[in-house]
Amino acid sequence: MEKNIQQIQKAYGSVPIKKEDALLYHSKFPSGKIEVVSTKAVSTQRDLSLAYSPGVAEPCLEIAADPTKVFDYTIKGNLVAVLTNGTAVLGLGNIGPEASKPVMEGKGVLFKKFADINVFDLEINASTPDEFVMIAKSLEPTFGGINLEDIKAPECFEIERRLREEMKIPVMHDDQHGTAIISSAALINALILADKKIEEVKIVISGAGAAAISCTRLYLSLGAKLENVVMLDINGVLTIDREDLDETRKYFATTRTELKTLKDALIGADVFVGLSAGNIMNADMVRSMANDPIVFAMANPNPEIPYDVAAEARPDVIVATGRSDFPNQVNNVLGFPYIFRGALDVRATTINEEMKIAAVYALASLARESVPEVVNLAYAQKNLSFGREYLIPKPLDPRLIYVVSTAVAKAAMDSGVAQKIIPDLHVYQEQLRIRLGMNEGVLRSVTNKAKKDPKRVVFAEADTYKILKAVEIVVAEKIAIPILLGNRKKIESIIEDHHLEIGNAQIIDILEPEMEETKQRYSQILFEKRKRKGITLHEANKRMRDRNYFGAVMVEIGEADALISGLTKTYPTTIRPALEVIGKKSPIVAGMYIIQTKKGPYFFADTTINKNPGVEELVEIAALTIDSVKHFNIEPRVAMLSYSNFGSNYDPETEVIIKATQLLQERFPTLAIDGDIQANIALRPDLVEENYPFSQLRKEGANTLIFPNLMSGNISYKLMMELAGTEAIGPILLGMKKPVHILQLGSSVREIINMVAIAVMDAQFSQAENK
């Protein structure tokens, strides 16, 4: 048993776990890994009367009159049973229901973590299919779906078949279909790389158990031909002359009776799918396969052939395993959370073939898209991209929830098994993002605007990996038309080293001899702008060797629409050229951050430029921020922040805020603007209504927060990022004549992309205003 545990650790994770650490993890108070938490307030007597007697009688009566209302008043629509009898647990075998409970709790954790689905794990004493089915059927009133887990074959086939036939909620045996769905997605992409067609390839299946049969059936649904499939069990190739096969396995028996062993079957084969036992395949067998062979060695805890052995056998092999310490892990967590999420959200009566195939194609397609930086960071990768070592998405890819779940929900509706129709799948996707704390509605709106009319964005630091990775995504999503300033050789080297695809993006190396004439022209423009401010033509020529000056002139004369810089230089160094060349459209410039929270976006200003603004400066900061917030199609509700509430502490500092508030209210009479006000009060309309009913913020809390000085604003947004786990988008530079945005030192790729989208939107508005 101890050896089995060590093998399981190797199969399921590359991080070694000590026995005492695992036991302490599970036994530390409170024991186990899950708990029940109330979703409603239960702090007062009235709360308790609503939660239980007498208030609970009302929803009971509603449901009694209309059973479908159970989804409106209870958790059923988001509750799945993880159901097992403990007869085939991991690689531990038949260890019984009690011993299987830690695994089932873990499955529940994965459901919650990845799809926000609640789970009750149920470990039952049921040794026969009849007993199991009877218990499972009795649970239908309680659960929205049932995930069957770790049930030995062949009983699992009958149990799942009968439950699907006799129940009207989704039922899926993940051990069968999870592996089938994930490996099918990997197979589709491997065939693309090998330039082969699924209906033509010869497939060898090692194993004839639940997972192997389910995989083979799904491959057939995707287009594979039964006559091209050779399946093996412990006794060798399943052939039509064998008399020891049951009806299920007879279906897969081949007419090629000369084939006896795995070695025989693999000669000339295109695909090997292993769901049997470890180390039964060797390098010579891999070499005997067809060109660009596909080897999915998925046995646990040890694969049929180690990844490195298969990879070394021949350079053209494409390998996947069930292990996390090698590329292309066929991991069921890529499937079951999102399949059930989509099924529950349309109240599907089953999980049918159409829904599984939809999940397959969604996963395969997602792997061919550009990989978000958050995934690269999670797996300590520089730049994951579709290829032989990246066939399927990684489990921590945040896109899975809304890509796979949406595909499954749509397939359920299209195939007629959905009892609830989702009218707008785009809205549904946004709801899924919000559900897992990925509320990106504002940013998505900006990105969509940018895509409708992409503008030319010049990147002053294009010879850095982060900028070029961001450019790759910007090009792929058609957000902007990039212009790259930097050392040409360095740019081309980074692109080649990291396999980046930037399309036909223009590269400008201002130190190349052919750029001298352009630099002279740009220098003259800078000189004319600054000749009465101490700059000579010679000095202008020197400054034009700085890409920030060069890029600023491009934007000023219309050869680019927006400038992005600041990744490798300080804020003052980066903004100075833009101020000298492009200039301000308002008396001051200011910096704003968008703080993304589960409650929606909040806008913070000034966070980057004005240290101690006076009354007029504070008014201009607020006015610029109001104008910018409106560009996001959001009505600003402005709080002029202080440590005082409406004059409760009157001193020179609060006097500035009070006077600025009065001027702003006169300037924007239709907007909710108030102050001076403390931050917590500004965000709580209930407290405003209770204590300051005269305030304009009593109906809705503020979403636009104007800080009294730079120190408070800068500290606040950084605290929000670190302590509250929010995402800050910015700094967004306000008040420039043309779009210029200064990145923070060391900005992430995601932050750069966000700023590009905002820069494009700003350019669209700027050009519209100048028409």
Side-chain angles (χ1 to χ4, degrees):
M1 185 67 74
E2 188 70 28
K3 183 178 179 181
N4 283 350
I5 292 172
Q6 292 171 357
Q7 291 175 329
I8 291 167
Q9 287 184 11
K10 290 181 180 179
Y12 286 94
S14 57
V15 179
I17 301 295
K18 294 181 179 179
K19 176 180 179 179
E20 55 268 28
D21 291 340
L23 294 178
L24 179 62
Y25 175 86
H26 285 81
S27 62
K28 185 177 179 180
F29 182 83
S31 301
K33 297 188 288 283
I34 58 176
E35 65 178 350
V36 176
V37 177
S38 174
T39 59
K40 304 296 188 292
V42 286
S43 56
T44 68
Q45 182 58 48
R46 184 174 188 276
D47 293 337
L48 294 174
S49 296
L50 287 168
Y52 198 57
S53 180
V56 73
E58 297 302 332
C60 292
L61 292 171
E62 291 291 313
I63 296 167
D66 180 1
T68 64
K69 288 190 177 180
V70 68
F71 294 100
D72 299 329
Y73 297 115
T74 77
I75 196 177
K76 178 173 180 173
N78 195 43
L79 184 62
V80 165
V82 172
L83 193 58
T84 187
N85 59 5
T87 53
V89 181
L90 300 179
L92 305 175
N94 186 352
I95 60 175
E98 292 90 352
S100 73
K101 188 171 180 61
V103 178
M104 303 311 128
E105 286 187 0
K107 190 85 171 191
V109 170
L110 296 180
F111 266 110
K112 188 66 177 179
K113 164 69 176 174
F114 291 106
D116 192 33
I117 293 173
N118 297 302
V119 162
F120 289 156
D121 60 294
L122 299 174
E123 298 75 28
I124 61 175
N125 277 314
S127 57
T128 69
D130 286 341
E131 290 176 324
F132 198 109
V133 169
M134 179 186 70
I135 294 171
K137 284 179 62 179
S138 71
L139 300 172
E140 185 166 353
T142 299
F143 294 96
I146 292 180
N147 180 96
L148 300 174
E149 194 77 17
D150 290 352
I151 307 166
K152 70 182 180 72
E155 290 91 336
C156 61
F157 297 117
E158 181 184 349
I159 288 170
E160 188 196 41
R161 177 185 59 77
R162 287 174 58 182
L163 291 178
R164 290 185 63 191
E165 290 173 354
E166 298 175 30
M167 299 181 76
K168 295 300 181 184
I169 58 174
V171 177
M172 187 174 83
H173 184 206
D174 184 49
D175 300 306
Q176 293 183 56
H177 306 295
T179 303
I181 289 164
I182 313 310
S183 68
S184 291
L187 179 60
I188 287 172
N189 283 341
L191 290 172
I192 290 174
L193 292 170
D195 193 23
K196 296 179 180 181
K197 297 179 179 179
I198 193 169
E199 60 269 21
E200 297 175 356
V201 293
K202 297 178 181 178
I203 303 173
V204 174
I205 309 289
S206 178
I213 288 173
S214 183
C215 285
T216 308
R217 284 172 173 163
L218 194 52
Y219 302 159
L220 295 176
S221 296
L222 293 170
K225 301 298 182 184
L226 182 59
E227 59 265 28
N228 291 336
V229 173
V230 174
M231 183 177 287
L232 297 93
D233 63 9
I234 195 170
N235 297 315
V237 175
L238 272 59
T239 55
I240 57 173
D241 58 349
R242 280 182 53 177
E243 298 180 356
D244 60 333
L245 302 180
D246 59 24
E247 290 303 314
T248 299
R249 289 163 182 78
K250 279 182 182 179
Y251 178 78
F252 297 102
T254 180
T255 58
R256 298 176 61 190
T257 54
E258 74 279 8
L259 300 178
K260 302 298 181 183
T261 66
L262 178 61
K263 181 180 178 180
D264 299 337
L266 283 173
I267 297 173
D270 299 285
V271 179
F272 168 78
V273 176
L275 291 155
S276 51
N279 300 309
I280 62 170
M281 185 178 182
N282 59 40
D284 287 336
M285 294 181 188
V286 177
R287 285 190 280 267
S288 74
M289 297 176 70
N291 293 334
D292 293 295
I294 297 166
V295 175
F296 290 176
M298 297 181 289
N300 276 322
N302 294 315
E304 285 78 5
I305 181 170
Y307 182 97
D308 49 355
V309 174
E312 289 170 7
R314 52 192 295 176
D316 60 343
V317 68
I318 302 171
V319 187
T321 70
R323 296 178 61 125
S324 64
D325 49 351
F326 289 106
N328 301 322
Q329 183 193 20
V330 178
N331 190 332
N332 287 13
V333 79
L334 293 171
F336 69 82
Y338 315 113
I339 292 166
F340 272 97
R341 177 77 277 155
L344 291 174
D345 289 342
V346 295
R347 297 181 191 168
T349 56
T350 187
I351 294 174
N352 59 21
E353 200 75 359
E354 291 89 343
M355 294 161 73
K356 289 185 286 184
I357 290 174
V360 169
Y361 282 111
L363 286 166
S365 177
L366 188 60
R368 298 194 295 271
E369 296 180 8
S370 183
V371 178
E373 185 197 18
V374 66
V375 179
N376 287 319
L377 291 174
Y379 293 92
Q381 297 289 323
K382 195 70 174 178
N383 187 38
L384 287 167
S385 60
F386 176 61
R388 290 171 183 261
E389 294 188 349
Y390 180 70
L391 295 175
I392 45 179
K394 295 289 190 180
L396 295 180
D397 193 323
R399 300 171 296 175
L400 288 163
I401 179 70
Y402 56 86
V403 171
V404 180
S405 301
T406 303
V408 171
K410 183 178 186 301
M413 292 188 291
D414 291 345
S415 61
V417 298
Q419 299 180 93
K420 177 183 175 183
I421 301 301
I422 297 173
D424 189 326
L425 290 174
H426 294 294
V427 172
Y428 174 58
Q429 285 190 323
E430 189 61 32
Q431 291 169 343
L432 290 173
R433 290 186 181 95
I434 294 171
R435 186 164 203 146
L436 288 191
M438 296 184 289
N439 185 358
E440 299 175 343
V442 170
L443 191 58
R444 193 156 309 283
S445 174
V446 173
T447 304
N448 289 338
K449 283 182 181 178
K451 289 179 179 180
K452 288 180 180 178
D453 186 16
K455 299 297 180 184
R456 299 163 298 170
V457 177
V458 57
F459 296 85
E461 300 155 302
D463 48 9
T464 60
Y465 166 73
K466 284 184 178 179
I467 292 291
L468 290 173
K469 176 60 181 176
V471 166
E472 178 185 51
I473 297 171
V474 163
V475 169
E477 297 189 11
K478 300 179 181 178
I479 294 171
I481 302 164
I483 301 170
L484 310 180
L485 300 186
N487 182 293
R488 185 182 300 275
K489 289 184 178 179
K490 191 173 180 182
I491 291 172
E492 291 173 346
S493 175
I494 293 171
I495 291 171
E496 182 179 356
D497 290 347
H498 299 286
H499 309 290
L500 300 174
E501 297 180 10
I502 63 168
N504 298 317
Q506 181 184 4
I507 301 174
I508 299 175
D509 187 339
I510 63 176
L511 298 182
E512 291 176 343
E514 53 266 34
M515 292 305 299
E516 284 303 314
E517 183 179 338
T518 302
K519 279 192 292 185
Q520 290 295 326
R521 178 164 60 91
Y522 284 13
S523 298
Q524 189 66 41
I525 293 169
L526 176 60
F527 172 66
E528 290 297 328
K529 282 182 166 289
R530 307 295 294 180
K531 63 186 178 183
R532 293 188 179 274
K533 295 185 179 180
I535 292 184
T536 64
L537 182 58
H538 175 70
E539 179 64 24
N541 283 327
K542 285 175 60 178
R543 294 191 183 188
M544 209 44 62
R545 290 177 171 271
D546 183 330
R547 287 179 239 153
N548 284 313
Y549 276 99
F550 191 95
V553 173
M554 290 186 74
V555 174
E556 172 63 12
I557 65 177
E559 293 183 3
D561 301 306
L563 170 65
I564 295 286
S565 188
L567 182 69
T568 61
K569 293 186 177 182
T570 63
Y571 198 93
T573 302
T574 308
I575 196 174
R576 189 178 299 114
L579 289 170
E580 291 180 2
V581 175
I582 297 171
K584 303 177 289 186
K585 69 176 181 181
S586 65
I588 64 169
V589 292
M592 179 184 79
Y593 270 90
I594 303 173
I595 307 297
Q596 295 268 57
T597 76
K598 288 187 176 182
K599 294 180 179 179
Y602 291 86
F603 302 86
F604 286 24
D606 177 18
T607 54
T608 56
I609 296 175
N610 300 281
K611 289 186 177 180
N612 290 293
V615 174
E616 294 298 331
E617 290 171 314
L618 206 54
V619 169
E620 288 303 321
I621 290 169
L624 289 170
T625 307
I626 287 168
D627 186 53
S628 181
V629 173
K630 287 180 177 179
H631 286 175
F632 294 97
N633 293 325
I634 291 175
E635 179 81 359
R637 301 187 301 276
V638 184
M640 306 297 288
L641 296 181
S642 172
Y643 65 87
S644 168
N645 283 313
F646 307 106
S648 61
N649 288 285
Y650 196 86
D651 58 29
E653 289 183 336
T654 58
E655 183 181 11
V656 170
I657 301 166
I658 292 168
K659 288 182 177 179
T661 302
Q662 292 169 349
L663 292 173
L664 282 165
Q665 289 172 339
E666 293 171 5
R667 188 165 168 178
F668 301 98
T670 61
L671 292 181
I673 302 173
D674 224 332
D676 61 335
I677 187 171
Q678 294 176 0
N680 64 316
I681 301 296
L683 299 174
R684 292 278 305 274
D686 58 326
L687 294 181
V688 176
E689 180 71 41
E690 181 180 346
N691 297 284
Y692 309 103
F694 55 84
S695 173
Q696 296 185 22
L697 297 173
R698 67 186 181 278
K699 292 183 179 179
E700 289 186 85
N703 60 12
T704 304
L705 308 181
I706 307 300
F707 291 85
N709 53 42
L710 178 58
M711 185 179 293
S712 60
N714 193 275
I715 290 171
S716 295
Y717 92 80
K718 288 179 179 176
L719 281 173
M720 288 290 292
M721 289 174 65
E722 296 303 323
L723 298 182
T726 59
E727 180 181 14
I729 302 169
I732 300 168
L733 188 56
L734 310 176
M736 296 293 291
K737 286 182 179 178
K738 293 186 178 181
V740 176
H741 289 295
I742 314 300
L743 302 169
Q744 291 189 90
L745 279 169
S747 291
S748 68
V749 172
R750 177 182 172 86
E751 288 166 341
I752 296 168
I753 296 167
N754 291 344
M755 293 308 298
V756 172
I758 289 169
V760 171
M761 185 186 75
D762 285 350
Q764 292 169 347
F765 279 110
S766 178
Q767 291 174 9
E769 289 173 354
N770 294 327
K771 283 185 179 179

